[in-house]
Structures are given as structure tokens and as C-alpha cells.
């Protein structure tokens, strides 16, 4: 009963806005039907999480998201005993919860988790589809509705933060990138409510910042940043200030790059 | 002061050098007229300039009297510093010129009166330009504004406006316009893509535009007309692309028109066409002709789609002018428009093409090899065939289909390559290269593909991507600044560091050392094994992986007894990961000859053995050199290089060489470590004495420079540490490294024993 209550909170009732840019929806559906886990990769703010929300809505499954960090332990995922009123009570972790109830478990930014933690998903991510819970001596077999999805950002190329091949090779990989100019403008306009022409200018600005890779800006303005800037504009903040606070300052602290992006803003608007 | 005293002071200042008497006399003569205080501050600077350049110092003494008439003695050191900057950047002549005009070069910028120099805007405009173009265009100062489609040349300085913000804006305007010429392919226009694609070596191909302009009897007029018409078209393009920029441009010209700025700054491109007919107006006062041309230009402004439209209108206008016998007096181009330099464009294009051709052929060949498509059918340099050619049994049928998705810019196109009826999926890098080639040539030469197929078929191994597969080896000298404490500033671009492989020698050093320290190595391994990633349970935590039974029982007992039970009932597994990168910098100066060198080598062996067990990342480099232009930086082991036979051989080959110029070596090591992502980054120097070089790099100067290099390292988040065997180290090393960041070993023979111990303490 209690578990179901918790689960219902993860259900997505309203259709989230997602604009398919390729065959990703079809692929994810096929993966769901055949019980394959999926790996979403792409730069920050390009719609990976939104895609998962959309898929959860479309497949009518609850979506349990875990944001990974380097202190995430196996128990944080699988579950642990807690003491309640003098008794030890087992509490499922988010992963176990998802397996038990056939939900979608989405591990966001999986590379941030330590490698020994990511290993627990291995038996779940191949054809066994099972989760051993050592502390309880239990072996959970995932129902067909359960789906495992992980995401990571290949932009942070660091030797330390890379997926182990044994983890990586269990997944169907879906590559995400920023949408083309027209689609991106439509997304920005729709999500933030600003006019189409303003959205186009924002997209133009984003394209310029994405060209700064060699000049010291590893990642340019994401679609999410543009939407945030658009939302500020929609709420009465003037265009330049909105761009300055939502885009320029959010991208970098480097003084010269700040000036350069500022010049771009003043050129575009 | 009289001349004799001055001379005497001068000699003490420059000692141990003894310059010619008459030179000194001539130089200090001027100073005699100054009052005592000014004279002293003028002489104070001698120590700063003399080590940099003797002749500059004499020049300084000759000009300083007049300079001190212009500004107060407080500003003297700043003036000297700017002069030295000039000297280090552009040489003696530039420094002399700089000193000659105190008012214009020093005081005006000091008062903020002059315009904006290129230096000031470079930092912001280069990323701006690259962001606009999405490619790595360069930005450089030049006497003439133009672009060769790889570099945008802008003025050295802009002094048009009184307000600096306007000057900066004008820089930006120039950059934007020059970029727009590239983006709109104004110079690389071709009549129709692919009309003359066969049989020509594309890299030396003339620009179509050049031929077009040369076909007129007066190429200069045709060129100017075309360039102006393109400027008109580009202006429209910018109006729609960058409305904010153009709004500011308009308001700027409105403001400035009355202030008497040249028309080449303020007037609109369309109005500029009027000047072409100036002569005609004077003679026949035929305003209808004038009107007609302006109407054409106006239509061009709103309707032009491509550079071809400009070419066509150029022809029309040229004919009109020819018919009306208008005599052409060259019209000065608009300042932001710059000039058109087609030879430059052609040169840059052929260079770029050469590069991208090589890259493309390589990348495609690699791709084909990987896909196993090359097969045995491939024949090199098959003549290209037209689109849709039937597959040839003997050769390779290549179909290249470049789909332009966006009519405006060629950079957004998708290239699909079909080889022997099989579609080849190009990866992102190849796509990028292909679009860059298309934007330069207007089409995609099929020879490129067939040579790639040829190369793949011959089984050529792909070219190595970098200069060295071993690691971050830097090619060519790396240039570093050096700190001059007397100036309280850097000597710019003063030292060269050369990364070199160490010359290998054969010796039985390694096995002998292993034998000698057999017992110790065994012990060290054991000790260091204990340091490996340690996992331990910490008890009594508020949350954790498991229940802490002791704590639970206690808490239950407490609650039965009526005490407040503790909520710390869990055990947590804590992992202390050793995320350490360490770089050992070995002093290979001549003074280490003998015992010291031997001890250093032995301790390196022991350290390596120990570090292999603990698994920390470590690199070893040696340094030595002579004078500022050559600090040799010997590679012994890169950070992530495995500890193998070659590394062992390199350690054995460490031998005393020349001098110890510490600063540049430390700076280079800092650069190397700065690229590493680790929790703890250590830079350990093994040395036997003070930093010292053959030239004036000694004493206080050397110590201060080393100290500053260490401060720079600390600022980069690196922990420097020094192990020295110098008995007199106390005198200076505390000042250099900070009192806790060094250790002094009194007996060289103890070094191998102590070193692993020191390392263990350092990293725990």
C-alpha cells in the first residue's frame, strides 16, 4: 500500500512536450518491448531527461530518477535496513522499487557514480534481468514492464569519468544533440512562450556560443539555457539583461569570454 | 652629482660588467643636469635595464632627462617597464622609437586619450569571431583591413571616436563585416558549381572572381564596383542576422555625421555608389543616369540573393559607365568594408584545401579500412566519373552527392559518398571536412574519394594523428616568461624550453641497484601496499550501508533505561581513494656529478618500485640547460606511461649536464601537471643546490624567479616540494619553497633510503 503511494508520485500524468528529432522514440519503444536497457548520451540541456519523461508517459510507467553522484553507494540504489521503533526494517532503494513494481529506472549522469556502484546494474542490464539483494538473500527478477535507462554527457572527457566498457556494452545507445535551428527555435518558443522571431535570435546566439569550443568554452549554450532566458523575457525582463543573466554569466567566468559573448548578444539583439 | 660620481655609481650598478669608459661618460653626462633625487631614481632603473640590453640602457640614459621633464619620477618605473615590453616584443628599434615620443606613446595612453589598440580588443574579439563563424578563423593587426578567408586583418589601433566604447564597437563592426564576406562567399563565388571541375588541380586553381574581374578593360573599376555591391548585399545580410549590431551602427553614424568624421566611416554603402559617378555629374549633370544606377543598387540591396547577382550587376553598371564614358577616379572603400585581396584569398584557400584534402583522404581511408570496404578492387587515382556513373568492375565508381540544406551558407550541407554502389556513412569529422572543402571550392572533387580508396586499397596504415603517440610531447620550443624581481614584472617570452628524449646509455646500473637494495625494496613494497586505496568501516553513523549492532543494542538498552537513545546506528564503508598525480623534476646540472647523481638515480629506482605498488600516477623529467634560450627538458617517464624497460633504461641514463635554470623547468612542469585532473597534484624537485645559469641567472635574481615560478604552480593548484642535498640550503630554500615544503638531506647516501619515506609522508 505504502509502496504504491510512493510509486504513484512518480507517474507522469500530463503529456510532456517532446519533439522527436529522429527515430529515438521508436527505438526506445522497441528496446522496452524487448527488455533492453538504454543509454542516452548527449550534451547538457539537450533534452535527455525530457525524453525519459515523455517515454514514461507514453509507456504509462512510473519514472524513478536517480541523480548519480560520487558518494552514491550500492545501498543507496538497492536499499537498506533502517531502525524504526526499535526494529530493523528493510527499505527498498529506488532501483529495487522500480524492479519490484515494473517502473522505469533512470540513472542520470551515471559516470558521476563510482565504478563499483555501477556494477550492481550489470545483472539487470543483460538478459538475466535480475537484481540480487544480498542483505536479504533475495533475488528479484524484473517484470517485462521494468526498464533501465542511464544517461551521460560525453562532453566531460576525462579518463577518470568514463564508463567501463563492460557497463557501456550492455546498452542500446541513443545519441542526443542540440536540435537543428528551426526545431530548436520552435522548442524554445513553445517552452518559454516567447515569439518565434525572438526564439530564432536566441538560437542564433546559442549557435555562436557553441562555436567557441576551441576558444575555451567546452560547452555552448544549451537548449535549456535558451528556454530559461526566454522565460525571463516573457516575465518582463528586457532581452539584454535576460541573456546576460541566463546565458552569458551562466556559461563562463572568464572575463574575455564574457566580453565576447556579450558582444554576440549585443549583435544579435 | 658630478659626472665622476655618476660614472662611479654606474659602474657599481652594472658590476661585474665593465663597459667602455667613453660610452658611460657620454651616457651619464646628461644626468648631471638633474637634481639629486631625480638622478637617483633615474639610476635606480639601470639595474633593471642593463641585464636586458646594454645598448638599450645607454639609450635610456640619454633620453631619461627629457622624459623626466614630461612626467614625475613616480611614473619612471612604469615608463621603463613599457619600454622593456616594447624591447622584448619588437626589439631595440621599437624600444628606441617608444622612448623617443614620451608624450604620444606613454602619457596619452596613461591619460586615456588615445584610441583603442588591437591588444585591448583581441581577447574579446577573437572568441567573438570564432563564435560567429563556428570555425577557427584568426584575427591579426595589419595596416590594411581585409580578409584572406582564414585570417581577418584589422587596424593596429582605432582612434576615430572620443569614446572608447565606440572605438571598440568599430573594431567589432570591422570584424563582423569581414566575417560576413567569408560567410556570404563573396570572394569564393563561382559561376556554376562543377562547370570546370575536371582535370584541374584544384589546389592551385584560380579564383573564378579573379578571372571575372580581369575580363574587364579596367579591372580596378570592376573590382571596386563588385566589392561595393557585395558590401551592399552583406549589409542586408547583417541587418537580418545581427540586427542589434546594425542598429548601433546606424545610431553611431547619425551621431557622428556632424562631427566631421570621414565619409568612409559614416556613409551607407548604397550612397557610396554615388561617388563612382562624381565625374559624370560634373560634366553632364545627367541626374537621370545617376538615379537609374542608384535605383539598381537599391533593388540590389533588397533583392540580391547571391554573390552572382553582384557580379551580374557589376557587369551592367560597368557597361553604363562605359557607355556614358565616365572617367573613374578610384573611390576610397568604406573603412569597415576594407579592401578585396583576391591573391591572399587564393593563397589561403589553397593552403586550407591542401590541409583538408590530406586530412580528408586520410580519414576516409582509415574509415574504409575499418569498414573493410577497400577490398582488392581498389585502384589508385581512378579518373572521376560523373554523378550516376555505372559501377566499373576494374575501378571504383565514385558518386559524391552534396546536398545543400541551407541556401545561405554552404557549411550546412550533407555529403553522401557512394563507392561501387555502396553508400559510405561519413562520420562527423569527415562531414565537417567535406563541408569546409565544398565551401571553398563550391563542389566536392571526386579525386579525393578515389585517392582515399586507393590509399585504403594499398593498405596504407593511417598516418599517426599526433607528433608522438607516447603522450603529451610538445613539439618545438615552448616559451615562458621569466620573473625579474627588480622590475617587479615578467620579462616577456624570455625562456625557451625544449622537450627532448634523453640520450640512452648502456649500463648495469639498474640490476645492480635492484640487487643492492633488495631488502629495502621488499620492505617498501609491503609498506606501500598498505597505502593502496584503503577501505574502512566507520561506526556510529546517522546513515550507512548496514546496521551497527553494538550501537543498536546500546540504544535499545538506553531507551529501556529511559535515556535518550542515540540515532547513530549505522556503519558506513568509507573509501579513501588515492587520486594522486606526482611529477618528479630531476636536477641534471653539472654539479650533481658523482655521488649525487648516483644517489638521485638510485632513489628514483626505489621510488618507482614503490609507486608501482601503490598505483599513483607519476612522471619523471630531468632538466638542465644553458642560457635563457635553451632549457632542456628531458623526458624520462610521462605521467601515464607504463614503467617498462625503456623507462628503466632512461633512468639509468640520467647524467650530469649543464646548468640549473630552475624557473622555466618548473613552469613547464606546471603546464604539464595543469592538464592532469587529480585530487592531489605534487611537483617534487630533486636538487643539489641553488638555481644558477651561465648568464646572469644567479643569486637573488634566480632565487626570486624560482620562487615566483613556485607561486605560479601553487596558484594552479599544484603542491611543490623540494628535496635537496645542499648543505647550505637553509639560507635560501625556506624563502623559495616556504618553510614546510622542503626537506634537506645532509648525507647523500641516505637519499635512497629517505626518499620513499618522504613520499609516503607527503601523500598520506
Amino acid at each position: 500500500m505504502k509502496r504504491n503511494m510512493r510509486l504513484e508520485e512518480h507517474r507522469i500524468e500530463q503529456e510532456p512536450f517532446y519533439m522527436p528529432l529522429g527515430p529515438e522514440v521508436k527505438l526506445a519503444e522497441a528496446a522496452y518491448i524487448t527488455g533492453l536497457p538504454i543509454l542516452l548520451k548527449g550534451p547538457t540541456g539537450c533534452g535527455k531527461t525530457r525524453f525519459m519523461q515523455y517515454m514514461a508517459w507514453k509507456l504509462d510507467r512510473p519514472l524513478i530518477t536517480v541523480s548519480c553522484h560520487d558518494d552514491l553507494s550500492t545501498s543507496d540504489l538497492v536499499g537498506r535496513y533502517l531502525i524504526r521503533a526499535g526494529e530493523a526494517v528493510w527499505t527498498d532503494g529506488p532501483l529495487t522499487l522500480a524492479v519490484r513494481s515494473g517502473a522505469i529506472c533512470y540513472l542520470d549522469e551515471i559516470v558521476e557514480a563510482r565504478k563499483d556502484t555501477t556494477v550492481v546494474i550489470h545483472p539487470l542490464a543483460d538478459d538475466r534481468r535480475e537484481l540480487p539483494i544480498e542483505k536479504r538473500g533475495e533475488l528479484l527478477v524484473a517484470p517485462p514492464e521494468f526498464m533501465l535507462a542511464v544517461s551521460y554527457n560525453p562532453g566531460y572527457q576525462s579518463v577518470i569519468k568514463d564508463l567501463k566498457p563492460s557497463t557501456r556494452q550492455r546498452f542500446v545507445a541513443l545519441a542526443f544533440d542540440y536540435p537543428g535551428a528551426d526545431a530548436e527555435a520552435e522548442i524554445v518558443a513553445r517552452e518559454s512562450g516567447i515569439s518565434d522571431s525572438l526564439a530564432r535570435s536566441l538560437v542564433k546566439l546559442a549557435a555562436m556560443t557553441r562555436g567557441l569550443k576551441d576558444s575555451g568554452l567546452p560547452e555552448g549554450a544549451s537548449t535549456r539555457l535558451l528556454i530559461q532566458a526566454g522565460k525571463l523575457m516573457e516575465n518582463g525582463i528586457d532581452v539584454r539583461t535576460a541573456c546576460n543573466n541566463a546565458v552569458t554569466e551562466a556559461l563562463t567566468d572568464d572575463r574575455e569570454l564574457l566580453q565576447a559573448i556579450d558582444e554576440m548578444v549585443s549583435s544579435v539583439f | 652629482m658630478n659626472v665622476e660620481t655618476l660614472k662611479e655609481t654606474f659602474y657599481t650598478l652594472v658590476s661585474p660588467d665593465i663597459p667602455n669608459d667613453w660610452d658611460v661618460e657620454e651616457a651619464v653626462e646628461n644626468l648631471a643636469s638633474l637634481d639629486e633625487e631625480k638622478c637617483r631614481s633615474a639610476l635606480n632603473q639601470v639595474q633593471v635595464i642593463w641585464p636586458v640590453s646594454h645598448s638599450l640602457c645607454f639609450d635610456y640614459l640619454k633620453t631619461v632627462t627629457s622624459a623626466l621633464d614630461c612626467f614625475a619620477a613616480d611614473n619612471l618605473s612604469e615608463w621603463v617597464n613599457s619600454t622593456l615590453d616594447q624591447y622584448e616584443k619588437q626589439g631595440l628599434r621599437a624600444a628606441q622609437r617608444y622612448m623617443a615620443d614620451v608624450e604620444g606613446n606613454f602619457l596619452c595612453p596613461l591619460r586615456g586619450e588615445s584610441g583603442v589598440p588591437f591588444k585591448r580588443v583581441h581577447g574579446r574579439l577573437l572568441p567573438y569571431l570564432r563564435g560567429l563563424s563556428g570555425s577557427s578563423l584568426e584575427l591579426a593587426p595589419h595596416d590594411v583591413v581585409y580578409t584572406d578567408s582564414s585570417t581577418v586583418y584589422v587596424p593596429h589601433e582605432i582612434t576615430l571616436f572620443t569614446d572608447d566604447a565606440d572605438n571598440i564597437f568599430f573594431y567589432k563592426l570591422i570584424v563582423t563585416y569581414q566575417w560576413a564576406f567569408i560567410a556570404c562567399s563573396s570572394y569564393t563565388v563561382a559561376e556554376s558549381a562543377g562547370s570546370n571541375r575536371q582535370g584541374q588541380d584544384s589546389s592551385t586553381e584560380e579564383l573564378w572572381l579573379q578571372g571575372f574581374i580581369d575580363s574587364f578593360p579596367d579591372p580596378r573599376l570592376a573590382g571596386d564596383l563588385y566589392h561595393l555591391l557585395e558590401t551592399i548585399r552583406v549589409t542586408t545580410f547583417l541587418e537580418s542576422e545581427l540586427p542589434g549590431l546594425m542598429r548601433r551602427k546606424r545610431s553611431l553614424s547619425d551621431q557622428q555625421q556632424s562631427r566631421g568624421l570621414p565619409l568612409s566611416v559614416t556613409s551607407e554603402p548604397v550612397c557610396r555608389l554615388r561617388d563612382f559617378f562624381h565625374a559624370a555629374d560634373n560634366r553632364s549633370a545627367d541626374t537621370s543616369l545617376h538615379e537609374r544606377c542608384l535605383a539598381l543598387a537599391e533593388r540590389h540591396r533588397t533583392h540580391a540573393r547571391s554573390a552572382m547577382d553582384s557580379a551580374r550587376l557589376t557587369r551592367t553598371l560597368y557597361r553604363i559607365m562605359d557607355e556614358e564614358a565616365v572617367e573613374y577616379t578610384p573611390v576610397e572603400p568604406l573603412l569597415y568594408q576594407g579592401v578585396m585581396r583576391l591573391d591572399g584569398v587564393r593563397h589561403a584557400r589553397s593552403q586550407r584545401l591542401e590541409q583538408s584534402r590530406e586530412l580528408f583522404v586520410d580519414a576516409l581511408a582509415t574509415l574504409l579500412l575499418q569498414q573493410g570496404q577497400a577490398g582488392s578492387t581498389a585502384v589508385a587515382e581512378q579518373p572521376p566519373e560523373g554523378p550516376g556513373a555505372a559501377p566499373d568492375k576494374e575501378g571504383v565508381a565514385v558518386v559524391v552527392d552534396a546536398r545543400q540544406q541551407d541556401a545561405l551558407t554552404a557549411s550546412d550541407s550533407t555529403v553522401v559518398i557512394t563507392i561501387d554502389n555502396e553508400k559510405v556513412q561519413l562520420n562527423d569529422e569527415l562531414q565537417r571536412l567535406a563541408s569546409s572543402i565544398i565551401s571553398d571550392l563550391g563542389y566536392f572533387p571526386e579525386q579525393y574519394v578515389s585517392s582515399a580508396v586507393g590509399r585504403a586499397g594499398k593498405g596504407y596504415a593511417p598516418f599517426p594523428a599526433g607528433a608522438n603517440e607516447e603522450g603529451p610531447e610538445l613539439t618545438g620550443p615552448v616559451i615562458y616568461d621569466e620573473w625579474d624581481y627588480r622590475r617587479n614584472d615578467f620579462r616577456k617570452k624570455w625562456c625557451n624550453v625544449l622537450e627532448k628524449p634523453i640520450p640512452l646509455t648502456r649500463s648495469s646500473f639498474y640490476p645492480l641497484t635492484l640487487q643492492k637494495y633488495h631488502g629495502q625494496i621488499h620492505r617498501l613494497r609491503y609498506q606501500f601496499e598498505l597505502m593502496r586505496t584503503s577501505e574502512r568501516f566507520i561506526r556510529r553513523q546517522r546513515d550507512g550501508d548496514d546496521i551497527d549492532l553494538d550501537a543498536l543494542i546500546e540504544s535499545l538498552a538506553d531507551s529501556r533505561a529511559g535515556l535518550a537513545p542515540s540515532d547513530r546506528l549505522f556503519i558506513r564503508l568509507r573509501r579513501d581513494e588515492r587520486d594522486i598525480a606526482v611529477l618528479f623534476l630531476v636536477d641534471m646540472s653539472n654539479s650533481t656529478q658523482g655521488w649525487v647523481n648516483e644517489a638521485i638515480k638510485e632513489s628514483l629506482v626505489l621510488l618507482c618500485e614503490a609507486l608501482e605498488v601503490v598505483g599513483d600516477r607519476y612522471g619523471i623529467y630531468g632538466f638542465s640547460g644553458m642560457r635563457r634560450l635553451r632549457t632542456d627538458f628531458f623526458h624520462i617517464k610521462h605521467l601515464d606511461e607504463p614503467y617498462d624497460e625503456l623507462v628503466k633504461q632512461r633512468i639509468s641514463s640520467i647524467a650530469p649536464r649543464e646548468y640549473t635554470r630552475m624557473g622555466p623547468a618548473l613552469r613547464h612542469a606546471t603546464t604539464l601537471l595543469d592538464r592532469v585532473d587529480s585530487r592531489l597534484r605534487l611537483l617534487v624537485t630533486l636538487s643539489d643546490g641553488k638555481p644558477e645559469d651561465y648568464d646572469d641567472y644567479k643569486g637573488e635574481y634566480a632565487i626570486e624567479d624560482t620562487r615566483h615560478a613556485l607561486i605560479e604552480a601553487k596558484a594552479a593548484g599544484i603542491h611543490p616540494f623540494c628535496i635537496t642535498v645542499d648543505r647550505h640550503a637553509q639560507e635560501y630554500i625556506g624563502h623559495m619553497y616556504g618553510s614546510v615544503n622542503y626537506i634537506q638531506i645532509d648525507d647523500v647516501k641516505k637519499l635512497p633510503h629517505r626518499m620513499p619515506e618522504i613520499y609516503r609522508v607527503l601523500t598520506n
Side-chain angles (χ1 to χ4, degrees), chain A residues 142-155:
Chain A
E145 300 86 44
F146 169 77
M147 184 184 206
L148 180 66
V150 301
S151 78
Y152 89 109
N153 180 348

Side-chain angles (χ1 to χ4, degrees), chain B residues 570-717:
Chain B
F570 296 93
I571 291 182
R572 190 157 43 174
L573 181 66
R574 176 117 133 233
R575 294 176 182 80
D576 297 318
E577 277 176 69
R578 288 177 67 84
D579 183 9
I580 295 173
V582 56
L583 225 152
F584 293 97
L585 200 55
V586 182
D587 178 358
M588 283 166 63
S589 65
N590 199 20
S591 53
T592 59
Q593 184 86 44
W595 272 111
V596 177
N597 183 48
E598 202 72 3
I600 287 180
K601 276 155 68 175
E602 286 177 0
S603 47
L604 281 177
V605 174
L606 294 189
L607 250 176
C608 287
E609 294 290 330
L611 285 174
E612 280 304 306
V613 177
V614 76
D616 290 352
R617 305 162 74 195
Y618 66 105
I620 305 170
Y621 296 89
F623 73 96
S624 178
M626 193 153 135
R627 296 182 185 267
R628 67 185 178 94
L629 293 178
R630 187 172 59 80
T631 298
D632 296 333
F633 200 78
F634 295 101
H635 153 227
I636 295 158
K637 180 182 176 299
H638 289 308
L639 211 50
D640 291 315
E641 197 178 342
Y643 175 59
D644 54 13
E645 282 309 314
L646 201 61
V647 172
K648 290 177 185 171
Q649 214 179 337
R650 287 197 205 113
I651 293 178
S652 315
S653 311
I654 294 176
R657 305 183 83 86
E658 290 156 293
Y659 290 85
T660 331
R661 204 179 187 99
M662 207 87 123
L666 283 171
R667 287 191 180 93
H668 192 60
T670 305
T671 314
L672 292 179
L673 259 183
D674 204 26
R675 297 181 199 151
V676 179
D677 185 15
S678 262
R679 189 174 56 84
L680 177 65
R681 291 177 296 178
L682 265 177
L683 173 57
V684 181
T685 320
L686 287 168
S687 171
D688 73 327
K690 281 186 206 177
E692 198 170 47
D693 200 355
Y694 182 76
D695 52 15
D696 59 352
Y697 195 87
K698 42 178 74 90
E700 208 174 347
Y701 180 90
I703 288 173
E704 288 300 323
D705 175 54
T706 309
R707 178 165 189 259
H708 205 273
L710 290 166
I711 292 172
E712 288 159 39
K714 276 181 209 156

Side-chain angles (χ1 to χ4, degrees), chain B residues 17-33:
Chain B
D17 290 322
I18 307 172
N20 284 330
D21 196 46
W22 53 88
D23 280 342
V24 178
E25 189 162 335
E26 192 192 336
V28 297
E29 244 168 19
N30 296 312
L31 296 183
S33 61

Side-chain angles (χ1 to χ4, degrees), chain A residues 80 114 135 212 263 266 269, chain B residues 124 127 172 244 544-545 575:
Chain A
R80 55 163 57 94
R114 268 204 318 269
K135 281 181 193 152
L212 289 178
E263 296 292 354
S266 67
F269 296 100
Chain B
R124 69 164 80 181
K172 177 171 136 186
D545 307 305
R575 294 176 182 80

Side-chain angles (χ1 to χ4, degrees), chain B residues 150-350:
Chain B
S150 287
T151 308
V152 169
Y153 295 93
V154 294
H156 291 283
E157 192 176 36
I158 292 185
T159 51
L160 288 167
F161 308 98
T162 41
D163 188 357
D164 271 2
D166 289 338
N167 283 323
I168 293 175
F169 171 77
F170 207 77
Y171 256 121
K172 177 171 136 186
L173 189 69
I174 294 176
V175 169
T176 315
Y177 259 92
Q178 297 306 313
W179 158 74
F181 284 128
I182 302 173
C184 295
S185 29
S186 296
Y187 304 139
T188 47
V189 59
E191 190 150 38
S192 61
S195 64
N196 56 348
R197 53 164 74 174
Q198 290 213 2
Q200 285 204 35
D201 184 1
S202 46
S203 56
T204 57
E205 216 172 284
E206 279 292 317
L207 289 173
W208 175 85
L209 188 59
Q210 187 74 63
F212 171 74
I213 285 169
D214 288 342
S215 69
F216 291 93
D218 182 357
R220 165 125 208 211
L221 170 60
D224 286 357
L225 271 174
Y226 174 79
H227 195 200
L228 184 68
L229 290 172
E230 268 303 281
T231 312
I232 293 172
R233 187 173 76 89
V234 156
T235 306
T236 315
F237 164 75
L238 288 177
E239 291 279 0
S240 76
E241 275 294 292
L242 304 172
L245 177 93
M246 299 310 274
R247 205 172 329 117
R248 171 114 192 244
K249 170 177 174 274
R250 274 194 300 277
S251 75
L252 193 69
S253 358
D254 292 346
Q255 267 174 41
Q256 300 293 338
Q257 222 140 26
S258 51
R259 298 201 197 164
L261 276 170
L263 279 173
S264 64
V265 175
T266 54
S267 66
E268 284 296 312
V270 173
C271 311
R272 207 71 185 147
L273 194 64
R274 196 185 314 239
D275 299 335
F276 282 80
F277 297 95
H278 236 62
D281 273 357
N282 289 346
R283 207 181 47 196
S284 62
D286 179 5
T287 46
S288 73
L289 167 73
H290 201 148
E291 291 300 313
R292 205 170 81 204
C293 291
L294 279 185
L296 279 172
E298 189 56 36
R299 203 188 124 71
H300 184 69
R301 190 174 74 82
T302 50
H303 284 77
R305 289 245 153 270
S306 73
M308 265 338 276
D309 293 336
S310 301
R312 267 179 231 119
L313 190 58
T314 304
R315 204 172 275 151
T316 317
L317 287 176
Y318 189 93
R319 205 171 50 233
I320 295 174
M321 285 182 80
D322 203 33
E323 279 165 9
E324 301 292 328
V326 177
E327 206 166 305
Y328 177 56
T329 38
V331 174
E332 192 195 348
L334 292 163
L335 205 62
Y336 50 81
Q337 173 190 9
V339 296
M340 185 162 71
R341 289 206 169 162
L342 291 178
D343 48 344
V345 176
R346 188 175 61 86
H347 185 69
R349 185 184 73 155
S350 67

Side-chain angles (χ1 to χ4, degrees), chain B residues 252-520:
Chain B
L252 193 69
S253 358
D254 292 346
Q255 267 174 41
Q256 300 293 338
Q257 222 140 26
S258 51
R259 298 201 197 164
L261 276 170
L263 279 173
S264 64
V265 175
T266 54
S267 66
E268 284 296 312
V270 173
C271 311
R272 207 71 185 147
L273 194 64
R274 196 185 314 239
D275 299 335
F276 282 80
F277 297 95
H278 236 62
D281 273 357
N282 289 346
R283 207 181 47 196
S284 62
D286 179 5
T287 46
S288 73
L289 167 73
H290 201 148
E291 291 300 313
R292 205 170 81 204
C293 291
L294 279 185
L296 279 172
E298 189 56 36
R299 203 188 124 71
H300 184 69
R301 190 174 74 82
T302 50
H303 284 77
R305 289 245 153 270
S306 73
M308 265 338 276
D309 293 336
S310 301
R312 267 179 231 119
L313 190 58
T314 304
R315 204 172 275 151
T316 317
L317 287 176
Y318 189 93
R319 205 171 50 233
I320 295 174
M321 285 182 80
D322 203 33
E323 279 165 9
E324 301 292 328
V326 177
E327 206 166 305
Y328 177 56
T329 38
V331 174
E332 192 195 348
L334 292 163
L335 205 62
Y336 50 81
Q337 173 190 9
V339 296
M340 185 162 71
R341 289 206 169 162
L342 291 178
D343 48 344
V345 176
R346 188 175 61 86
H347 185 69
R349 185 184 73 155
S350 67
Q351 265 184 347
R352 212 165 40 232
L353 272 174
E354 194 61 32
Q355 262 175 14
S356 35
R357 183 194 135 91
E358 200 41 49
L359 283 174
F360 182 86
V361 170
D362 254 358
L364 185 60
T366 316
L367 186 78
L368 291 177
L369 274 174
Q370 279 165 357
Q371 292 183 345
Q373 282 229 353
S376 54
T377 54
V379 173
E381 292 300 336
Q382 187 70 17
E385 295 168 55
D392 189 339
K393 278 269 181 307
E394 306 282 342
V396 208
V398 175
V399 180
V400 180
D401 181 11
R403 272 178 227 154
Q404 216 105 324
Q405 287 180 333
D406 187 341
L408 206 58
T409 50
S411 56
D412 282 11
S413 57
T414 314
V415 180
V416 178
I417 289 177
T418 316
I419 300 170
D420 280 348
N421 270 359
E422 254 183 276
K423 212 184 234 177
V424 180
Q425 201 68 46
L426 296 188
N427 56 25
D428 289 351
E429 190 203 346
L430 279 168
Q431 277 300 353
R432 198 176 47 73
L433 284 168
S435 6
S436 125
I437 293 168
I438 290 174
S439 81
D440 270 335
L441 275 181
Y443 67 92
F444 193 88
E446 282 151 14
Q447 295 99 308
Y448 288 15
V449 180
S450 40
S451 19
V453 174
R455 190 173 289 179
K458 282 180 190 164
Y460 285 173
F463 280 58
N468 196 318
E469 69 277 17
E470 272 185 351
E473 182 115 347
L474 300 164
T475 45
V478 191
I479 301 166
Y480 290 98
D481 296 347
E482 189 166 279
W483 182 256
D484 186 346
Y485 76 101
R486 294 165 298 208
R487 238 168 106 180
N488 211 15
D489 198 356
F490 283 106
R491 291 182 168 184
K492 311 272 161 16
K493 299 183 177 166
W494 195 253
C495 301
N496 287 5
V497 174
L498 296 138
E499 251 189 52
K500 283 184 180 169
I502 196 162
L504 293 179
T505 51
R506 285 191 170 277
S507 75
S508 55
F509 166 79
Y510 215 89
L512 284 179
T513 310
L514 286 185
Q515 212 170 19
K516 184 172 163 193
Y517 291 97
H518 176 76
Q520 206 194 347

